[in-house]
Amino acid sequence: MSVLFVSGTGTEIGKTVTTAAIAAAAIAAGRSVAVLKPAQTGVAAGEAGDLADVERLAGPVTTVELARYPEPLAPATAALRAGLPPVRPHEIAEAVAKLDASHDLVLVEGAGGLLVRFDADGHTLADAARLAQAPVLVVVQAGLGTLNTTALTALALRTHDLDCPGIVVGSWPSEPDLASRCNLEDLPDAAGAPLLGVIPENSGTLSPAAFRTAARGWLSPTLNGSRRP
């Protein structure tokens, strides 16, 4: 894979930390990495956004943010309320192609879930991934309810004719309950795709050195990691 979209079953489930871990593992494998954030919401101009976290944790990556909206809303709504232009799927695909020409791996971190609207016409990250002809990795939750949201996201991916190379648990609890432990076995069936990583909770609070050292162990070889099933 030279381009990988990173989406999820919802918001605040670990997409940014997962993106940083994938980037760190790729860099450790000697690959050049770019991370694209099509729309950053809930962050004012001049404040540090998701890409700043990726840079801090992963190391030397090229980062590009296409649009920023101050209110923590879906990109389409945030753009409308801010009186700013939305991000269109073709703009995302064009930015991906430009970065792909000069990097070994391009990661595209979405906002919220797969079908969150980017503009008033109802375009989503799925439309951008289809234009870019890129697969979509899905970041999922660990606990109760994740099987349903994972299966729904997988269905949406198939409906949009998008490939899903696998799923990653974005925040694995230090003391997993029964549902989480069972879900670890059941999630690949719900997704119709393999489990490619498990990121421990609060990994984003690690020092950059500790994060980069640990990242490969959280991810499977498909994502340049060393984790085994």
Side-chain angles (χ1 to χ4, degrees):
M1 292 178 290
S2 64
V3 177
L4 181 64
F5 278 60
V6 181
S7 188
T9 55
T11 190
E12 300 297 328
I13 60 172
K15 287 192 302 296
T16 298
V17 173
T18 297
T19 300
I22 296 170
I27 292 168
R31 305 181 73 187
S32 58
V33 180
V35 181
L36 174 67
K37 183 75 175 181
Q40 174 72 69
T41 64
V43 180
E47 293 181 347
D50 291 341
L51 291 181
D53 289 331
V54 172
E55 289 178 325
R56 175 178 58 84
L57 294 170
V61 296
T62 300
T63 56
V64 176
E65 182 182 281
L66 296 184
R68 174 174 290 211
Y69 310 113
E71 295 180 316
L73 304 168
T77 304
L80 181 64
R81 286 179 53 85
L84 295 170
V87 178
R88 305 289 187 180
H90 75 271
E91 295 172 324
I92 300 172
E94 288 168 0
V96 166
K98 183 176 180 180
L99 290 169
D100 189 30
S102 56
H103 295 81
D104 298 321
L105 177 64
V106 179
L107 301 172
V108 184
E109 186 194 343
L114 179 70
L115 299 184
V116 169
R117 293 187 171 203
F118 274 77
D119 59 31
D121 295 324
H123 292 123
T124 68
L125 192 72
D127 296 304
R130 188 167 53 200
L131 282 177
Q133 300 181 13
V136 180
L137 181 83
V138 180
V139 182
V140 305
Q141 295 170 299
L144 194 64
T146 193
L147 298 180
N148 180 62
T149 55
T150 299
L152 287 171
T153 300
L155 176 60
L157 286 168
R158 293 193 297 271
T159 300
H160 286 80
D161 295 320
L162 292 169
D163 178 54
C164 176
I167 57 173
V168 171
V169 175
S171 182
W172 181 252
S174 58
E175 297 183 4
D177 59 14
L178 177 62
S180 297
R181 296 195 302 273
C182 291
N183 287 341
L184 204 60
E185 300 295 327
D186 295 338
L187 274 165
D189 287 337
L195 179 67
L196 297 183
V198 177
I199 312 296
E201 65 180 356
N202 299 320
S203 294
T205 64
L206 293 173
S207 70
F211 184 90
R212 295 167 199 172
T213 298
R216 292 187 68 247
W218 302 331
L219 303 170
S220 79
T222 301
L223 298 175
N224 298 291
S226 59
R227 183 182 185 274
R228 299 295 177 182

